[in-house]
Amino acid sequence: MRESSPVPAVNREPPYLQVARALREQILSGELAEGNTFPSARKIAQDFGLAHATAARVIKTLQDEGLVASRPGAGTVVTRNSLHRSAQDRLTAITRTGLIYPEGHYAVIRSAELVPGPGYVVEALGLEPDSAVIRRQRTTYNPDEAPESTSISWFDGALTENCPDLLVAERIRRGTINYIADRTGRALRHGRDGVAAGRATDEIAAELRVEPGAPVLLGRNWWTDSAGWVAEFGESIAPEGRWVHYDYEIGSE
């Protein structure tokens, strides 16, 4: 019997959302940096074969998400003012551009140390109770020197032998996951993110320059290899008003 050819999947997402997603990814990856002039509706219509009204809807969608804004005399520019970079965003950025942060943004590594693992951390890393873990804390700043988020990355303490730089309070230029993959030969294949609402503790309030008890966005992420080994468990905290965006497909019934 002759085998039938597979039927290509049909993307039922409206064209304006398809284009908005493509341009959003360029912003999240840093290809379109903060302050860059954003393509006009006419340019978007030409590049993507859209009607002008549809292209204008693309811009309106990204404006509503806080990723672009109109500036007198400058047109539409990339703003990112209300954006919180998730673990997925950082991974996309370093894959596409080789850089973790957009131009003008930077991170300060607050600490890097080997500590007894808190219960929820050793559980997240799949370790035995009371295992030692590596704790790296950083704060990320925007070009105005304002803190955008603070985060902690946790790693299996056994990595200290092959990955000694994890215990150095300095940035790892290519990112921790690439560093770990290079040093261990274990490529990371899967990521999982979670977010929740919370309140700033006194310590977090001081770091983010907000009032104690202020609303904050809590994030957690797991990066694993094909065997399910958790290379990094991360926690992040961002001030209120920061958005995290995810794109996904909705299949037909």
Side-chain angles (χ1 to χ4, degrees):
M1 179 181 297
R2 182 181 178 182
E3 294 184 358
S4 59
S5 301
V7 177
V10 177
N11 189 346
R12 294 180 173 83
E13 189 177 40
Y16 84 95
L17 285 179
Q18 294 180 41
V19 175
R21 173 158 49 85
L23 293 172
R24 184 188 301 116
E25 289 177 355
Q26 291 184 35
I27 295 173
L28 296 177
S29 70
E31 292 180 57
L32 286 172
E34 187 163 357
N36 283 176
T37 299
F38 192 73
S40 65
R42 175 179 296 181
K43 176 67 172 171
I44 292 173
Q46 291 175 344
D47 289 350
F48 293 93
L50 302 177
H52 188 275
T54 304
R57 193 173 183 185
V58 171
I59 294 176
K60 179 62 166 57
T61 298
L62 298 178
Q63 286 176 331
D64 290 344
E65 294 177 2
L67 298 179
V68 302
S70 296
R71 294 285 186 264
T76 302
V77 299
V78 178
T79 58
R80 301 175 54 88
N81 287 337
S82 62
L83 180 66
H84 169 55
R85 290 175 66 80
S86 67
Q88 180 184 23
D89 299 334
R90 297 195 303 274
L91 182 60
T92 299
I94 199 166
T95 300
R96 291 189 175 186
T97 69
L99 301 172
I100 300 176
Y101 304 106
E103 183 178 356
H105 292 67
Y106 65 95
V108 175
I109 308 301
R110 297 296 186 195
S111 63
E113 55 190 339
L114 189 66
V115 299
Y120 74 98
V121 172
V122 295
E123 181 178 356
L125 290 171
L127 304 176
E128 294 295 325
D130 301 321
S131 294
V133 297
I134 300 168
R135 179 184 187 273
R136 287 175 61 87
Q137 182 175 5
R138 74 183 63 79
T139 301
T140 305
Y141 297 86
N142 64 25
D144 296 325
E145 305 292 329
E148 290 201 329
S149 67
T150 187
S151 59
I152 298 174
S153 294
W154 303 91
F155 309 88
D156 184 348
L159 285 172
T160 55
E161 182 177 352
N162 290 329
C163 306
D165 288 356
L166 293 176
L167 286 175
V168 179
E170 297 178 1
R171 282 187 56 195
I172 297 175
R173 293 295 175 180
R174 295 184 59 243
T176 54
I177 59 167
N178 285 327
Y179 174 65
I180 292 172
D182 290 344
R183 301 285 296 188
T184 66
R186 305 181 74 158
L188 302 187
R189 302 298 186 192
H190 180 74
R192 178 163 64 96
D193 291 1
V195 294
R199 298 283 180 180
T201 63
D202 290 345
E203 179 183 359
I204 295 301
E207 193 68 27
L208 295 179
R209 304 175 193 168
V210 298
E211 293 294 323
V216 291
L217 178 68
L218 307 176
R220 287 184 173 180
N221 70 279
W222 292 255
W223 283 333
T224 62
D225 70 359
S226 57
W229 172 67
V230 182
E232 178 175 338
F233 168 59
E235 300 179 278
S236 65
I237 306 172
E240 66 174 322
R242 304 284 172 168
W243 288 87
V244 176
H245 300 293
Y246 296 96
D247 289 299
Y248 53 91
E249 302 294 335
I250 301 177
S252 60
E253 295 182 356

